[in-house]
Amino acid sequence: MKVLVPSTVSLDLPGHEVVAFDPDRPIPDEHRDADALVEWVLPAERLAEATALPRLRLVQTLSAGPDVIAAAGFDDGVALASGRSLHDATVAEHTLAMLLALVRDLPRLASAQDEGRWDDAYRADQADPQTGGRFTLDGAHVAIWGFGGIAQRLAPMLEALGARVTGIARSTGDRGGYPVVAHDLLPELLPRVDVLVSILPATAATDRVVDAGVLAALPDHALFVNVGRGAVVDEDDLRAALEQGTLRAAAIDVTRVEPLPAGDPLWTTPHLLITPHVAGGRPRGAAALVLENLAAIEAGEPVRNRV
C-alpha cells in the first residue's frame, strides 16, 4: 500500500511504499493515489486536500485524540483510527510532574530562587499541621476524568505515592482495578476530591464541561490538572476560581487556542502552571500500530482504535 507520512515523522513500514511529504506544501499530484495517510499535527488545509484522495482507505492519526481527523470530513468508506496508547507513558509522566509541582508548590520556590531568597515562610507552611497535608499526595483523593489508557497508566503511579484514585467515565463500575463513577455522580464525588485531573477528549459533549459549577464543587484546597484538550475547560471560569482563591492551583498543558496568544490573561493568572502541549511529546510504538492497521485494511478486518 502507498502510505503518505508527513516529513515530521519517521516510520519504518516494511512491505509498503512510504511517501514522505512536506506538511506545509500541497500533497504532490503523483501521490494522490495513496491508500493511507498518517496524520501528525497536519495543517487544516492538508487534511482538506486529503479528503479528496480517491483511493484513500485509512487515516491513522498519531495523536491520542481523534477530534481533528473526525471533524475533517472524510468519506464513510475511509477507516479513521486514533493513536490511543501511543502517548500513555509520556502523558502520565508529564501529568505526574505537573501535579507534584503544584503539590510541592515549586513555582513559589522557583520565584524565591529568582529573587535569591531563602523562603522560610514556605518551610513554616509545610510544617504547620493546618497546611502541611497539602504538600504531599500521600492520603490525597485524586479523581481522573476520562479513565482510558493514559489514566490507567497514571493511576498506579499515584497509588504508589499513597494517593487514592477514582475514575470518572460514562458509567459506574471498575476499570483496571480502580473504582469508576458515572458523570451524574459528580456532585457527590467532587466535594471529597483533593485533585481533579482531566484527560477528556474534545467532543460536543465535553465542550467547556469543566466550568464554574464543577470548580465550585471542589474544596478550596483542591488542585486541577488538564492534559486532555483545552476545549473541555471554560478558561474564564478557571481563571476566576484561581483569582478568587476558590481553587488552590491548576496546571494545564492544553488551551482552547494553541499556541496560547501573547497577552492572553491565562499567562498572568495566579497559581496557574502552563506547559505548551508537550505532555505527549513523540508517539511511542507508532510504526507497529500503523502496520497493524494497514494489515487490517488489506484483510478487510476492523482497524484498532477505530474512530
Side-chain angles (χ1 to χ4, degrees), residues 76-263:
D76 291 342
V78 179
L80 305 181
S82 77
R84 182 163 46 89
S85 82
L86 301 182
H87 303 274
D88 289 2
T90 50
V91 176
E93 290 171 359
H94 193 83
T95 306
L96 183 60
M98 290 200 298
L99 179 51
L100 286 171
L102 296 185
V103 168
R104 303 296 298 178
D105 206 350
L106 296 188
R108 172 179 170 179
L109 294 178
S111 295
Q113 180 180 350
D114 287 342
E115 298 167 10
R117 175 173 51 83
W118 193 260
D119 196 340
D120 285 318
Y122 179 101
R123 295 162 61 88
D125 289 342
Q126 187 180 16
D128 189 333
Q130 297 298 317
T131 54
R134 301 179 185 179
F135 288 82
T136 180
L137 283 174
D138 191 17
H141 185 189
V142 181
I144 306 177
W145 200 346
F147 209 75
I150 294 170
Q152 292 178 54
R153 185 70 175 252
L154 174 65
M157 299 178 182
L158 296 168
E159 192 172 47
L161 294 173
R164 178 165 59 94
V165 177
T166 299
I168 305 168
R170 293 194 183 106
S171 58
T172 297
D174 183 278
R175 280 192 202 174
Y178 295 93
V180 174
V181 302
H183 301 158
D184 57 1
L185 296 178
L186 281 176
E188 300 174 26
L189 175 69
L190 293 179
R192 298 182 282 108
V193 164
D194 302 300
V195 178
L196 176 62
V197 176
S198 171
I199 316 181
L200 289 169
T203 67
T206 62
D207 189 61
R208 290 184 171 88
V209 71
V210 181
D211 58 9
V214 166
L215 297 172
L218 293 167
D220 290 354
H221 68 264
L223 305 172
F224 172 68
V225 177
N226 184 22
V227 291
R229 286 290 184 264
V232 309
V233 177
D234 187 309
E235 293 174 344
D236 291 337
D237 290 350
L238 176 62
R239 190 173 71 252
L242 291 168
E243 289 174 345
Q244 295 165 14
T246 56
L247 184 69
R248 175 184 165 195
I252 55 175
D253 183 57
V254 286
T255 54
R256 179 170 290 274
V257 176
E258 295 182 0
L260 185 64

Side-chain angles (χ1 to χ4, degrees), residues 55 64 74 76 184 241 246 262 266 280 295 307:
R55 292 182 52 182
F74 288 98
D76 291 342
D184 57 1
T246 56
L266 284 176
V307 176

